């Protein structure tokens, strides 16, 4: 993951349409150079659980993105310009709206807290409560990944034992989001 904009070279992908088990690459140096090491993250939407899409920034606070479920984790990246980070917002570390603490997936920082980059999780998606270029510049394109947590994506603190923890578990989809200190 980098802070670069989306690559638009025509020779990045092979002309073969991806299937549920295979995707094809061309010979572009950014994703298929000789002796290169790469990783591909391949996702698909699962109704009521995950959504992978894009939105166009409005430049006004309150832009609503509909996923069809209450997210527990959202990752956002501006794809139409270079220089913006991958921002990860979750309701485990910050269970109450507005979410202002983010992880930057492409930087070596613990957490980034910034009230100018606020997101609110709703029952049917999320709201961008920012006009910051990282999340909501007018006419800019953003990609996002959203996942639901447990049954309602709401959890309580567990203070039993020697550490405080918060867990969102999905036995249906086999994943958990855990926070502890």
């Amino acid at each position: 993951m980098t802070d670069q904009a989306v690559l638009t070279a025509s020779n990045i992908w092979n002309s073969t349409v991806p299937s549920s088990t295979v995707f094809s690459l061309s010979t572009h140096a950014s994703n298929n150079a000789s002796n290169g090491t790469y990783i591909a993250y391949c996702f698909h939407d699962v109704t009521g659980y995950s959504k992978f899409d894009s939105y166009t920034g409005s430049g006004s606070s309150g832009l609503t993105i509909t996923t069809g479920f209450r997210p527990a984790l959202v990752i956002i990246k501006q794809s139409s310009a270079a220089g913006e980070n991958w921002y990860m917002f979750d309701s485990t570390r910050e269970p109450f709206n507005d979410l202002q603490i983010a992880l930057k997936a492409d930087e070596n920082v613990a957490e980034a807290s910034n009230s100018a980059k606020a997101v609110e999780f709703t029952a049917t998606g999320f709201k961008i409560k920012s006009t910051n270029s990282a999340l909501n510049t007018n006419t800019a394109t953003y990609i996002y990944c959203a996942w639901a947590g447990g049954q309602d994506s709401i959890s309580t603190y567990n203070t039993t034992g020697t550490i405080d923890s918060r867990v969102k578990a999905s036995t249906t989809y086999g994943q958990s989001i855990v926070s502890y200190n």
Side-chain angles (χ1 to χ4, degrees), residues 1-2 5 20 27 38 42 44 48 51 61 74 77 98 116-118 127 133 141-142 146 149 151:
M1 295 183 162
T2 71
S20 62
T27 58
Y38 304 94
C42 303
H44 69 94
K51 184 143 180 88
S61 182
V74 172
K77 167 73 170 93
D98 296 333
K117 296 175 182 160
K127 187 181 294 187
S133 63
T141 302
Y142 298 84
Q151 285 186 333

Side-chain angles (χ1 to χ4, degrees), residues 157-165 180-181:
Y157 278 113
N158 171 11
T159 56
T160 304
T162 59
I163 61 170
D164 291 344
S165 62
Y180 59 91
N181 41 325

Side-chain angles (χ1 to χ4, degrees), residues 4-40:
Q4 298 303 303
V6 66
L7 291 174
T8 58
S10 61
N11 62 342
I12 293 175
W13 301 104
N14 188 324
S15 59
T16 305
V17 176
S19 73
S20 62
T21 58
V22 176
F23 70 97
S24 300
L25 302 174
S26 190
T27 58
H28 196 274
S30 67
N31 68 343
N32 198 12
S34 181
N35 298 317
T37 301
Y38 304 94
I39 187 168

Side-chain angles (χ1 to χ4, degrees), residues 10-128:
S10 61
N11 62 342
I12 293 175
W13 301 104
N14 188 324
S15 59
T16 305
V17 176
S19 73
S20 62
T21 58
V22 176
F23 70 97
S24 300
L25 302 174
S26 190
T27 58
H28 196 274
S30 67
N31 68 343
N32 198 12
S34 181
N35 298 317
T37 301
Y38 304 94
I39 187 168
Y41 296 99
C42 303
F43 302 106
H44 69 94
D45 292 357
V46 175
T47 303
Y49 173 71
S50 62
K51 184 143 180 88
F52 310 94
D53 206 348
S54 65
Y55 65 88
T56 301
S58 67
S60 299
S61 182
L63 176 64
T64 299
I65 311 302
T66 302
T67 61
F69 55 86
R70 177 181 293 278
L73 172 65
V74 172
I75 303 172
I76 301 171
K77 167 73 170 93
Q78 185 187 42
S79 61
S80 57
E84 294 296 350
N85 299 103
W86 290 83
Y87 285 92
M88 302 170 66
F89 297 92
D90 69 85
S91 60
T92 301
R93 290 176 306 115
E94 196 171 22
F96 307 108
N97 292 324
D98 296 333
L99 307 175
Q100 298 175 10
I101 300 173
L103 298 174
K104 294 181 183 180
D106 55 333
E107 283 192 4
N108 186 15
V109 294
E111 291 179 331
S113 180
N114 187 336
S115 61
K117 296 175 182 160
V119 173
E120 176 185 344
F121 290 170
T122 68
T124 58
F126 60 99
K127 187 181 294 187
I128 306 295

Side-chain angles (χ1 to χ4, degrees), residues 158-177:
N158 171 11
T159 56
T160 304
T162 59
I163 61 170
D164 291 344
S165 62
R166 181 177 294 270
V167 176
K168 290 183 186 292
S170 172
T171 55
T172 303
Y173 298 107
Q175 59 84 32
S176 299
I177 302 172

